Structures are given as C-alpha cells and as structure tokens.
Amino acid sequence: MSKTLFDKVWDSHVVRKIEGGPDVFFIDRHFIHEVTSPVAFLGLKSRGLKVLYPERTFATADHNTPTINQHLPVQDPLSANQLKALEDNSNEYGISHWGLGHQKNGIVHVVGPENGITFPGATIVCGDSHTSTHGAFGAIAFGIGTSEVEMVLSTQCIMQPKPKKMRINVNGQLGKGVTPKDVALYIISQLSTSGATGYFVEYAGDVFENMTMEGRMTVCNLSIEMGARGGMIAPDETTFAYLKDKPLSPKGADWDKAVAHWKTLKTDAGAKFDKELTFSASDIEPMITYGTNPGMGMGISKNIPNAEAVEGGVATYKKSLEYMGYNENDAMIGKKIDYVFLGSCTNGRIEDFRAFASIVKGKKKADHVTAWLVPGSHEVEDKIKEEGILDILTEAGFVLRQPGCSACLAMNDDKVPAGKYAVSTSNRNFEGRQGPGSRTLLASPLVAAAAAVTGVVTDPRELL
Amino acid sequence: MAYDKFTTLTSTAVPLPLENVDTDQIIPARFLKATKREGFGDNLFRDWRYNNDNTPKESFVLNNPIYSGKILVGGKNFGSGSSREHAAWAVYDYGFRCVVSSFFADIFRNNCLNVGVLPVQVSAEFSEQIFNAIYDDPNTEIEVNLPNQTITILSTGAQESFEINSYKKENMLNGFDDIDYLQNIKGDIETFANGLLL
C-alpha cells in the first residue's frame, strides 16, 4: 500500500497501538532546555525513576540566557536557578549538557541540526513548540509538554494519537526579495493560526526542493503557527550534503547504510492525504504581520484588511488592531518602527545574517532604531566573523550579541518596551510576546534589515 | 503528575469569548522561571488581569466577582502557541478543572489532559448558547459528565456530547497518568530500541 513520508516514519516508531487510544510512540532524539525540564526531573525523582536512554537526550541552555557578558554570572536569580537545575540534572543522569559558555551552546533548534543530532526519519521531541524545525530533514519533530518530557526521560516514549496528514505544495519561482520566511508567513496567512490544527504537514513542490536546508528549517519551524503539530520535507541530496561530516552524523559504513535508508523516505505515488493545498510561488511577496497572531500577515505592499473581510470574530480582530495601534486600511509601508530583532530558531542562522548584511552593507542604521542581532549559536557567530559579515554590520552601526533565544520570547533582559514597535525575524507576534505591551511585526531578515536602515517599514526590494 | 479524579463536575462558569487565546496570554514567558509546578494560578492571564502597577484591571472577567466557577469557557482556537505546560498548570492552579471551547490547539489540549484539566470541545452553536446562558444569568450551572461524555446547561437543559479517546477518559476517571502505563511496558520498549539503526 502506498504510504506518505509521514506514515513511513510514524509507523516505524510505534511500539504498541492502544485500542481506541493513542500509539505508544518511540522517540529517537530528545532535546531539553532549562525552562520546561526542571519539573520533569522533579517528577522522575519523586517516582524514583531513572533516565532510560540518557544518550538519546541532549541538553542546551537557551531560553533565558543573557546575550551579553555571558562570561559573567547570570544576574537574574530565577534564571540562574533554572540554568543550574539543567546542569545538575544533566550531570546526575548522564545527559550531554551544552550550557552557557560551552562552545556548542546555542538555540536548541539551531545546534541540533548543526551537530548532526537531527537526522532523516528520526522522531524528535522537545518541550518547545518550534521543535517542528527538525522536520526540514524528513524527521517527525514536534513540541511536547513537561509531563511528556518526563515520559521521554523515563521511557523514551510518549502516548500520541496519529495526526491527520496534509500536503502543502508550492510551485514556481520565488520573486526577488522573497525568502523562505515569506513563503511560511504567506501559507499561515492563507490558513490562519488554526488551519492545520490536527494535521501533520508535508511540504512539497519545487519551491521547497530548491530551498537550502536553512530555508527548509525556517519553513518547518513555522508549521506550529498554523496549528500543525509539525511539518516535514522529504530528505534529498541537499539534506545528505548538509549532514555529511557533521560531528554526530554517522560515519563510514554507518553513513552509507543510513543514506541508503534515508533515500526511501519519500511519499509514494498515489499515497493519500486527508487534505492537500497548492499555492503558486508567484503570488508571494515579502510579507509582514500587522496584528497579534502570525496568521495576521500580508504582502508588504498591501493595506491592512477590513474586519469584515477577515475570517473569524470582528471583536477579536478589532481588539488586535487596537493593541497594535493600527487601523483597517492602513498601509504598512512607512510605519515607524523602534526596534529590530534578527535571530531566533526561525531566522538566527548564517544565511539570515548574510541576507541582513546584503541590505545594510554600505548604509547606516537609523538613529532611532535599537537593533538586537543575535546569532542562533556560537557556530553561527563564528561564521559571521569569518565571512566578514561582522565588519559590514559594524560599519553600518550594528552590534552583534551572543547566542540565545533572546527577544523572541523576552525571558531574559532583551525586552521591547511597552508600546514600541519591533520588526522581528522570530515566530510570534502575540500580545506582550517580546515584553509586556510590546508590538511585534514579523518579517524576514531582508525586511528587518530594510526597516533597520530606514527606521520605517520598507519594501526590501527597493534596497536590493 | 498525580491529579484528582474527574467524574462529573457541576459548576458556574467564567466566560472569555475571545478567539485565538494563546499560551503567552494564559501565562506570559517571564513567569516561566520557576522550577516547580505550583503557584502559576497567580499569574494566569497576567497581562489581561493586572495593570503595570499590579492593580487588577476591573474590566477583565477574572476580576469581575459576578463570574466564578471551575469551568472556563473560551472562544475558538483556545491555547494556540507555545508548548508550555505551565499554561495548563496555571489554569489548574487557579481552580479550573474544565475548559470549554469550540476549538482547541493541539498541544494545549494534550497538556490539559496530562494535568487533570478536561478540555471539552463543543460546536460553535453550543458554545454560543453557553455564553448567552452565562450572560443571562451568571449563576447558571454547567454540568460536565465525563462518564457519559455530555455537557449540559442546567438552566435550559441544552445538552451536547463531546469526544475523548477511551484511554484518556479512563486516565481522567481514575487520576492515572501516562507514565503509569509506560512503566508497565518497559520490556517492549527496550526490545524495540534494540532493533534501531541510530
């Protein structure tokens, strides 16, 4: 029987099926960080349980780490306490720990792929909804709650009903200045933040086939923002080339054996999806959000829609625009902005910094704009320096910070003040997401760069 | 985690008819720094509930003494966003045992089931009826009957049935969690793991 890529990976990880209930689902790779793991370890301790396969779990500190002066003790005692809990728990149970200051430290969804922990056909979970990022490699990867973190630690399994399957095809040629982030924000704007709830998505079509691994990670990362548990892309030569010789990728004969298996991981002709959608690349322009959820996005040259033209409740929509300080029919181009954030598990990789630099090169940061440029890992930071990007950024008046989740969720000191506008390459524009009262405009690194040098929302195509 | 058994809950309800209520509103990220699970109820809906100077916002429903109860009735797409289980803990810790919505985000629904909060998905029409009944009379009681999988507006008698898989239902009825189950099949899990390539 024809199977989808998702079926192949899912079905090969079911330890046991429960009649009328979920599957007992085996997890190949488990990432943990300081925020959603401490209570899971408390649970283990209170039950007197061990970690079943410590070699399958990887700990990284990222959510509330500072992005300056990382060599100094962490000032916030609560953050310091969580970081210490992660370190102590990792040591106690024999889990690899890349804490603050470690050369491998960085955002969990950046360092995982970078080090070859992620691989095609794997099942990957983490107490973080953007775990969907790893789907770029043809893995089933999704976010879980802390109770499930405890299950994975103690049994390497969780109990999951199998989601429905959706395929999203995007075909054609992307226009100038249109990035993987724009493709994702476009799809979310078409589906809304709940349009894919209950589904696991496979992205297909030549737009994704022609994308780099980093672009695919950006797209899969944002799957959760349309409600999907995760999204995945069939592994191909681009995937294998990325993974070859990564520190933890299989080597020698193991590599050959793995690749031979990975090549079978694609949707068979005739396999059935519960839902299938197709979009045209030529309809996508650089995107920007104007409201308080990622579905409230539009082409940057357009005007904010009328409440009546939007699906869903008028009251909720108007409350959202009121929070943003915007009106129906406003143009986004020319709106004044105060902050720019380049970084996060969505857009904190080297290609994102290259894109940002391509716009700001030879220009100057607008005086009134505060810019936070935060690499996703030390490896990204090193490449920024090696490739001369740091020189371009410095020349243009920007400062590079140290790796971490930073202003994406503002658990550390990188908070956008109340009422201020931030063009952000991250993944959520919820009320207060980047600090209490902050107002977020989600966009690509190119749009963020254009705003950083002009001080207003600007079409990046005019600066390319 | 261990939680109280859930059988039938009869209670007044708190209405929150907004759509797309995300987990950053339920519990903002800056309150996720605890290393234990209790106490999150104090910051449930923090930024909708309190002003910057920590005084209560009178217009927010949790600060309106007319509305109370163990059932929270939300708008469509409740719990979207982050996987933070803290959102479900905050709902539980505040005193809610049941959340009703016409549509739930996946991870939040899952998290609720794992911590003893029953997510009840109803039709858009029934959701509307519940809101109307509560606004007509804040003392209206709602009965959530897990064994029968029904939700009833006691003042009008309007009733709808809801879905829950039989495994999770058993867990809720008995106060069990998944780890109890998984621990018992460890042998199967180890056999499975031994057959893996990577």
Side-chain angles (χ1 to χ4, degrees):
Chain A
M1 195 188 140
S2 313
K3 281 186 157 195
T4 67
L5 163 63
F6 175 75
D7 289 326
K8 290 178 185 179
V9 182
W10 183 280
D11 296 349
S12 65
H13 286 82
V14 174
V15 176
R16 178 187 282 202
K17 282 189 166 306
I18 298 174
E19 198 63 40
D23 291 341
V24 176
F25 191 63
F26 189 87
I27 302 303
D28 291 314
R29 297 287 181 269
H30 181 209
F31 295 105
I32 57 173
H33 61 82
E34 74 275 25
V35 175
T36 57
S37 70
V39 171
F41 283 104
L42 273 188
L44 280 191
K45 280 172 195 154
S46 73
R47 293 174 199 250
L49 297 173
K50 290 192 165 54
V51 175
L52 185 60
Y53 296 115
E55 68 278 14
R56 292 182 180 275
T57 293
F58 299 81
T60 312
D62 57 5
H63 274 59
N64 61 25
T65 53
T67 55
I68 49 166
N69 295 324
Q70 289 188 347
H71 62 290
L72 297 177
V74 174
Q75 293 300 305
D76 174 6
L78 293 174
S79 297
N81 193 32
Q82 282 193 328
L83 294 169
K84 181 149 188 337
L86 184 71
E87 182 176 3
D88 291 350
N89 288 324
S90 299
N91 290 341
E92 183 177 343
Y93 292 98
I95 293 165
S96 147
H97 173 247
W98 296 342
L100 193 59
H102 193 288
Q103 186 48 35
K104 298 266 191 199
N105 177 254
I107 303 174
V108 53
H109 310 309
V110 176
V111 299
E114 218 167 57
N115 286 284
I117 298 171
T118 305
F119 62 89
T123 52
I124 301 174
V125 295
C126 173
D128 185 281
S129 59
H130 294 106
T131 307
S132 57
T133 311
H134 306 267
F137 293 80
I140 291 181
F142 55 88
I144 56 174
T146 297
S147 295
E148 292 166 311
V149 172
E150 188 183 337
M151 291 174 213
V152 179
L153 289 171
S154 59
T155 68
Q156 207 59 38
C157 287
I158 51 174
M159 315 285 279
Q160 286 289 308
K162 189 176 178 181
K164 290 183 283 185
K165 291 162 285 184
M166 180 189 291
R167 181 158 61 187
I168 297 178
N169 307 284
V170 185
N171 293 304
Q173 189 77 37
L174 292 175
K176 180 178 143 189
V178 180
T179 69
K181 179 67 165 287
D182 301 304
V183 174
L185 286 177
Y186 175 80
I187 296 170
I188 300 163
S189 75
Q190 300 298 303
L191 267 78
S192 87
T193 53
S194 57
T197 302
Y199 292 89
F200 209 97
V201 172
E202 180 180 341
Y203 298 99
D206 47 17
V207 163
F208 304 111
E209 285 163 20
N210 294 331
M211 242 178 222
T212 63
M213 285 316 296
E214 296 199 0
R216 293 178 189 181
M217 282 189 252
T218 299
V219 169
C220 288
N221 172 280
L222 290 162
S223 303
I224 180 72
E225 307 310 336
M226 52 180 133
R229 203 62 192 276
M232 66 201 303
I233 295 173
D236 59 10
E237 292 303 326
T238 306
T239 319
F240 309 146
Y242 178 98
L243 285 175
K244 188 149 177 55
D245 301 324
K246 290 280 187 262
L248 295 170
S249 287
K251 305 284 184 307
D254 287 344
W255 170 261
D256 297 336
K257 204 170 160 187
V259 171
H261 171 58
W262 296 344
K263 285 184 173 169
T264 68
L265 298 175
K266 54 181 103 175
T267 293
D268 299 329
K272 290 272 182 293
F273 288 85
D274 299 288
K275 196 168 185 178
E276 181 139 19
L277 299 170
T278 300
F279 300 105
S280 171
S282 57
D283 290 340
I284 308 173
E285 62 167 332
M287 297 285 293
I288 194 151
T289 65
Y290 54 86
T292 55
N293 71 57
M296 298 175 78
M298 62 180 193
I300 195 162
S301 66
K302 299 199 165 64
N303 292 358
I304 296 175
N306 280 316
E308 287 71 25
V310 175
E311 227 179 285
V314 170
T316 302
Y317 185 78
K318 291 199 166 169
K319 178 178 184 291
S320 177
L321 287 192
E322 190 184 329
Y323 180 88
M324 293 301 293
Y326 292 154
N327 300 301
E328 295 161 73
N329 299 316
D330 281 2
M332 284 304 290
I333 296 280
K335 293 271 191 203
K336 185 166 172 280
I337 62 112
D338 310 291
Y339 282 73
V340 165
F341 172 53
L342 173 66
S344 85
C345 58
T346 311
N347 282 124
R349 299 182 180 81
I350 188 62
E351 289 175 11
D352 303 313
F353 282 81
R354 286 180 196 143
F356 191 94
S358 73
I359 295 251
V360 306
K361 186 174 186 178
K363 301 186 182 66
K364 290 285 179 198
K365 179 181 78 65
D367 285 339
H368 72 273
V369 170
T370 301
W372 291 326
L373 277 46
V374 184
S377 69
H378 285 300
E379 190 170 316
V380 174
E381 186 183 15
D382 290 347
K383 282 187 191 156
I384 290 169
K385 292 173 182 166
E386 283 161 23
E387 294 184 11
I389 293 171
L390 181 59
D391 299 330
I392 295 170
L393 298 175
T394 308
E395 183 65 24
F398 294 93
V399 177
L400 187 67
R401 298 174 81 90
Q402 291 172 295
C405 297
S406 180
C408 174
L409 81 169
M411 279 193 78
N412 67 359
D413 290 337
D414 307 342
K415 290 179 171 59
V416 176
K420 298 293 184 188
Y421 292 96
V423 175
S424 178
T425 67
S426 53
N427 40 58
R428 289 190 175 130
N429 50 349
F430 297 149
E431 287 184 29
R433 171 78 178 183
Q434 297 196 279
S438 61
R439 293 155 157 171
T440 301
L441 313 179
L442 297 176
S444 74
L446 291 177
V447 172
V453 293
T454 60
V456 296
V457 174
T458 301
D459 191 330
R461 291 172 292 196
E462 289 169 14
L463 301 180
L464 280 171
Chain B
M1 82 174 215
Y3 52 82
D4 296 337
K5 294 175 185 181
F6 193 113
T7 47
T8 296
L9 174 67
T10 304
S11 169
T12 52
V14 177
L16 186 63
L18 289 169
E19 293 172 25
N20 305 319
V21 171
D22 60 74
T23 51
D24 276 84
Q25 306 319 313
I26 298 174
I27 184 83
R30 63 187 187 280
F31 298 110
L32 305 184
K33 296 190 182 188
T35 49
K36 59 185 182 60
R37 90 169 63 220
E38 296 77 21
F40 288 98
D42 292 344
N43 293 312
L44 176 68
F45 293 116
R46 178 76 200 197
D47 294 335
W48 286 352
R49 197 168 146 198
Y50 296 103
N51 294 304
N52 289 343
D53 61 2
N54 295 330
T55 54
K57 289 183 181 175
E58 283 178 18
S59 58
F60 187 60
V61 68
L62 291 190
N63 296 322
N64 186 341
I66 294 175
Y67 301 107
S68 64
K70 293 185 173 185
I71 300 170
L72 177 64
V73 188
K76 188 187 163 202
N77 195 25
F78 194 88
S80 59
S82 140
S83 63
R84 60 188 71 163
E85 196 168 294
H86 312 64
W89 299 341
V91 167
Y92 184 90
D93 193 61
Y94 182 87
F96 292 119
R97 290 301 314 278
C98 174
V99 182
V100 180
S101 168
S102 62
F103 198 86
F104 284 97
D106 270 343
I107 305 182
F108 178 77
R109 180 210 297 262
N110 226 15
N111 286 341
C112 281
L113 286 166
N114 282 334
V115 307
V117 174
L118 181 66
V120 173
Q121 186 159 322
V122 297
S123 66
E125 295 72 33
F126 197 76
S127 163
E128 204 55 41
Q129 287 181 39
I130 299 177
F131 283 127
N132 289 338
I134 302 170
Y135 288 128
D136 282 349
D137 176 9
N139 296 318
T140 295
E141 286 194 311
I142 312 282
E143 182 195 270
V144 178
N145 184 319
L146 180 58
N148 293 342
Q149 296 179 221
T150 55
I151 174 167
T152 311
I153 305 168
L154 293 182
S155 57
T156 65
Q159 188 180 81
E160 198 169 87
S161 56
F162 62 87
E163 298 277 320
I164 179 170
N165 76 53
S166 55
Y167 167 83
K168 283 289 180 192
K169 180 176 170 179
E170 267 320 287
N171 274 2
M172 290 286 288
L173 288 171
N174 294 295
F176 293 159
D177 67 17
D178 290 342
I179 291 185
D180 300 326
Y181 182 92
L182 289 169
Q183 282 300 322
N184 284 328
I185 60 161
K186 234 174 188 169
D188 284 13
I189 295 171
E190 284 168 342
T191 306
F192 182 90
N194 290 337
L196 291 170
L197 187 64
L198 289 171

